[in-house]
């Protein structure tokens, strides 16, 4: 409920309590000794207190919303009480009655002033009608105005107009105050919105720059080295991602490269890839075997960053061009694939995520390369995309696609997978970061 409405209904209920009590007291001390009327007035005082409790304690906020917040129920009770007073006395001479009627009628309604006018008009007609009925002339040929005049004096008319004017002025002052507060709140909200949009624009600009820097740290999309052709495809789920690809020339005859997938997405995962690249570069040249690179990297990463509680999976490969040998190791990474001559090989070694525990052992796979081979390294985002029917791309489908395009160039394979996945997925963007590195011997 808006603060303005809370204020109006609080004013309405306090006014109702005040005038109902004064009305009861007035008639109790007057010459009008009618037990039924006093009982009705006493019940109205009780109702006023109970209604204030209901509103202040927010009872029935969700139920009977129309009756509570539009003021229909309390206004209806007020009209019945006033009708009872007029039907007993035949007059509405008391300023207590008029003031009570006008102020509660206006302050109970919502911002829609028409409702207040309708309520006041209806109440006046009811009271006049009851006054006429009290004169015992209701069924005779009488003029409405002349018949009502004996019961409504000029004093009452002036008092009614006075309280009506006061009520309308108070009502409009409240509304004007509400409008002023609303305009101020709108200005503040607009200013906050402009500031947030400016900040959001700056953040997006920074993220775009960070994404460009991240991609520049990756190997080129296509390159060659001593009879080996490479191609990469990196597609973050947002401006920056948690995948990274590294390529290193160890010496004239050996190259090492890897794909790493940090836990999470977005900024935190992207920052983690920077740590991964920094840490692994310390060991990529020193250690004799790629599984030893992972073991040293894991221990160093754990010692420095275990409190972050973030991990990564890695698949790492070394190709000795002179010996024609490939060695592979991984930690927490899905199975990778390669075509070696006519053979199809699934590269998988059990190993824990890096950074999960201080001491971990990572195994090694060695493959003697044929004259025609193709290696496919990728992150799990490549096969975890979903179609519109919520069907996952899956590792089996991915392996089948790789087998079909094994004879193509690395660049053509990356382009094929990108197009194939774009046609398959359901949304505009990718749900996970995607990395793919394809290596094969030059033809």
């Amino acid at each position: 409920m808006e603060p303005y409405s809370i204020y109006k209904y609080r004013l309405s209920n306090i006014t109702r309590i005040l005038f109902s009590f004064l009305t009861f007291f007035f008639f109790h001390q007057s010459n009008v000794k009618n037990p039924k009327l006093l009982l009705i007035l006493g019940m109205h005082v009780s109702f006023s207190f109970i209604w204030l409790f209901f509103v202040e304690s927010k009872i029935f906020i969700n139920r009977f919303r129309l009756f509570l917040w539009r003021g229909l129920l309390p206004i209806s009770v007020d009209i019945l009480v006033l009708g009872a007073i007029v039907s007993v006395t035949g007059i509405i001479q008391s300023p207590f009655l008029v003031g009570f009627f006008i102020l509660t009628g206006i302050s109970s309604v919502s911002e829609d002033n028409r409702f207040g006018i309708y309520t006041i008009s209806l109440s006046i007609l009811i009271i006049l009608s009851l006054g006429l009925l009290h004169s015992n002339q209701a069924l005779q040929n009488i003029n409405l105005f002349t018949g009502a005049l004996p019961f409504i004096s000029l004093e009452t008319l002036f008092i009614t107009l006075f309280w009506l004017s006061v009520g309308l002025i108070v009502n409009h002052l409240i509304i004007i105050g509400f409008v002023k507060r609303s305009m101020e709140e709108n200005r503040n909200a607009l200013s906050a919105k402009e500031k947030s949009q400016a900040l959001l624009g700056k953040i997006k600009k920074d993220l775009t720059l960070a994404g460009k820097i991240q991609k520049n740290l990756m190997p080129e999309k296509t390159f060659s080295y001593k009879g080996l052709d490479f191609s990469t495809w990196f597609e973050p789920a947002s401006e920056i991602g948690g995948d990274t690809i590294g390529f290193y020339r160890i010496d004239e005859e050996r190259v090492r490269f890897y794909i790493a997938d940090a836990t999470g997405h977005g900024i935190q995962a992207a920052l983690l890839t920077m740590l991964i690249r920094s840490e692994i570069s310390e060991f990529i040249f020193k250690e004799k075997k790629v599984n030893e690179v992972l073991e040293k990297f894991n221990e160093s990463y754990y010692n420095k960053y275990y409190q972050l509680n973030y991990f990564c999976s890695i698949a790492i490969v070394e190709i000795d061009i002179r010996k024609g040998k490939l060695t592979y190791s991984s930690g927490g990474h899905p199975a990778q694939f390669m075509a070696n001559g006519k053979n199809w090989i699934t590269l998988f070694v059990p190993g824990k995520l890096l950074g999960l525990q201080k001491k971990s052992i990572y195994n090694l796979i060695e493959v003697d390369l044929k004259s025609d081979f193709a290696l496919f390294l990728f992150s799990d985002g490549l096969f975890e995309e979903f179609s519109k029917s919520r069907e996952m791309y899956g590792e089996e489908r991915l392996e089948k696609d790789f087998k079909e395009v094994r004879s193509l160039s690395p660049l053509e394979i990356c382009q094929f997978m990108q197009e194939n996945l774009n046609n398959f997925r359901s949304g505009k963007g990718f749900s996970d970061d995607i990395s793919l590195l394809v290596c094969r011997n030059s033809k």
Side-chain angles (χ1 to χ4, degrees):
M1 191 174 181
E2 298 178 358
Y4 167 71
S5 298
I6 293 175
Y7 175 76
K8 286 198 69 177
Y9 293 121
R10 184 166 295 159
L11 174 65
S12 163
N13 290 310
I14 292 174
T15 305
R16 178 176 288 108
I17 289 175
L18 175 63
F19 278 95
S20 63
F21 179 79
L22 290 176
T23 305
F24 175 80
F25 179 79
F26 173 80
F27 278 100
H28 186 269
Q29 300 297 323
S30 69
N31 295 325
V32 180
K33 302 298 182 181
N34 189 306
K36 292 184 178 179
L37 177 61
L38 293 177
L39 177 62
I40 292 174
L41 294 177
M43 293 175 63
H44 191 249
V45 173
S46 302
F47 168 80
S48 302
F49 278 103
I50 294 172
W51 191 253
L52 177 66
F53 168 75
F54 279 172
V55 174
E56 292 298 324
S57 61
K58 298 183 179 179
I59 298 175
F60 301 142
I61 284 181
N62 295 322
R63 297 182 181 180
F64 312 116
R65 183 181 297 272
L66 177 64
F67 292 98
L68 179 60
W69 302 132
R70 296 281 294 186
L72 286 175
L73 181 57
I75 285 294
S76 301
V77 173
D78 297 342
I79 292 173
L80 291 175
V81 172
L82 289 169
I85 294 172
V86 175
S87 65
V88 171
T89 63
I91 56 174
I92 52 172
Q93 297 281 3
S94 171
F96 295 111
L97 302 183
V98 179
F100 167 56
F101 161 60
I102 297 299
L103 285 182
T104 56
I106 292 179
S107 62
S108 291
V109 301
S110 66
E111 292 82 355
D112 186 359
N113 286 326
R114 292 175 299 177
F115 181 80
I117 294 173
Y118 297 154
T119 306
I120 293 169
S121 302
L122 178 62
S123 301
I124 291 175
L125 287 176
I126 291 177
I127 292 172
L128 290 175
S129 301
L130 289 172
L132 291 173
L133 288 172
H134 182 78
S135 68
N136 296 321
Q137 300 176 6
L139 300 180
Q140 300 178 17
N141 295 324
I142 60 171
N143 183 282
L144 175 65
F145 298 101
T146 58
L149 286 176
F151 306 100
I152 304 177
S153 66
L154 290 176
E155 176 191 356
T156 300
L157 290 176
F158 285 130
I159 292 174
T160 302
L161 291 175
F162 170 75
W163 282 108
L164 178 61
S165 301
V166 171
L168 292 175
I169 291 172
V170 171
N171 188 51
H172 282 283
L173 286 177
I174 294 173
I175 291 179
I176 289 172
F178 167 73
V179 171
K180 287 182 178 179
R181 289 193 299 273
S182 298
M183 291 176 65
E184 183 65 25
E185 291 174 359
N186 289 337
R187 281 195 295 268
N188 294 337
L190 182 61
S191 176
K193 182 179 180 181
E194 290 174 350
K195 290 180 180 179
S196 63
Q197 287 178 342
L199 180 60
L200 182 61
K202 185 178 182 301
I203 292 174
K204 287 184 176 180
K205 184 178 179 180
D206 292 343
L207 287 175
T208 301
L209 178 60
K212 291 179 180 178
I213 294 173
Q214 187 180 41
K215 288 183 177 180
N216 287 337
L217 293 174
M218 306 275 189
E220 298 178 7
K221 288 187 176 181
T222 179
F223 60 96
S224 299
Y225 182 76
K226 288 195 173 184
L228 298 176
D229 293 335
F230 295 86
S231 188
T232 63
W233 174 34
F234 171 65
E235 190 75 42
S238 56
E239 287 84 354
I240 53 179
D243 288 2
T244 189
I245 303 172
F247 179 87
Y248 303 88
R249 299 177 181 86
I250 306 303
D251 52 40
E252 292 299 321
E253 302 296 335
R254 291 184 301 153
V255 293
R256 287 177 177 175
F257 47 92
Y258 65 85
I259 279 186
D261 183 0
T263 55
H265 305 286
I267 297 175
Q268 64 179 27
L271 291 174
L272 187 56
T273 62
M274 300 301 178
L275 295 179
I276 294 170
R277 297 184 69 88
S278 174
E279 289 295 317
I280 203 169
S281 62
E282 294 186 16
F283 308 104
I284 199 81
F285 293 97
K286 296 179 182 179
E287 304 305 321
K288 293 183 179 181
K289 297 180 179 180
V290 289
N291 62 323
E292 295 174 355
V293 173
L294 295 186
E295 291 169 0
K296 294 293 184 180
F297 163 75
N298 173 72
E299 184 175 356
S300 174
Y301 179 85
Y302 181 87
N303 289 334
K304 293 180 180 179
Y305 309 113
Y306 75 92
Q307 71 276 9
L308 297 178
N309 203 32
Y310 286 115
F311 319 106
C312 68
S313 68
I314 295 183
I316 184 169
V317 173
E318 176 185 290
I319 294 181
D320 190 319
I321 300 171
R322 183 178 62 83
K323 294 181 180 179
K325 180 169 289 190
L326 178 147
T327 54
Y328 171 86
S329 186
S330 68
H333 210 73
Q336 310 289 283
F337 304 115
M338 74 172 296
N340 193 29
K342 296 182 179 180
N343 298 325
W344 183 261
I345 301 174
T346 299
L347 298 172
F348 178 75
V349 289
K352 295 182 178 180
L353 290 170
L354 285 90
L356 190 61
Q357 63 182 38
K358 184 174 182 178
K359 294 291 185 179
S360 293
I361 302 299
Y362 298 96
N363 298 319
L364 192 69
I365 292 178
E366 295 185 349
V367 178
D368 293 324
L369 297 175
K370 304 295 184 182
S371 57
D372 182 23
F373 74 91
L375 172 67
F376 309 95
L377 296 185
F378 50 90
S379 63
D380 56 10
L382 191 62
F383 58 82
E384 289 184 349
E385 285 295 322
F386 288 86
S387 66
K388 292 182 180 179
S389 60
R390 304 305 300 164
E391 177 188 7
M392 192 170 74
Y393 197 80
E395 292 178 89
E396 292 183 4
R397 191 196 308 266
L398 179 64
E399 183 178 7
K400 180 181 177 182
D401 290 340
F402 281 149
K403 287 180 179 179
E404 291 179 359
V405 299
R406 58 191 291 182
S407 60
L408 299 179
S409 69
L411 178 60
E412 290 172 332
I413 293 174
C414 287
Q415 291 174 341
F416 170 84
M417 289 306 306
Q418 186 173 2
E419 182 179 356
N420 204 27
L421 211 57
N422 278 327
N423 294 333
F424 176 83
R425 63 192 174 91
S426 57
K428 293 182 179 180
F430 291 98
S431 59
D432 195 4
D433 305 318
I434 293 175
S435 294
L436 173 63
L437 183 149
V438 181
C439 171
R440 70 170 308 126
N441 56 314
S442 302
K443 293 184 178 180

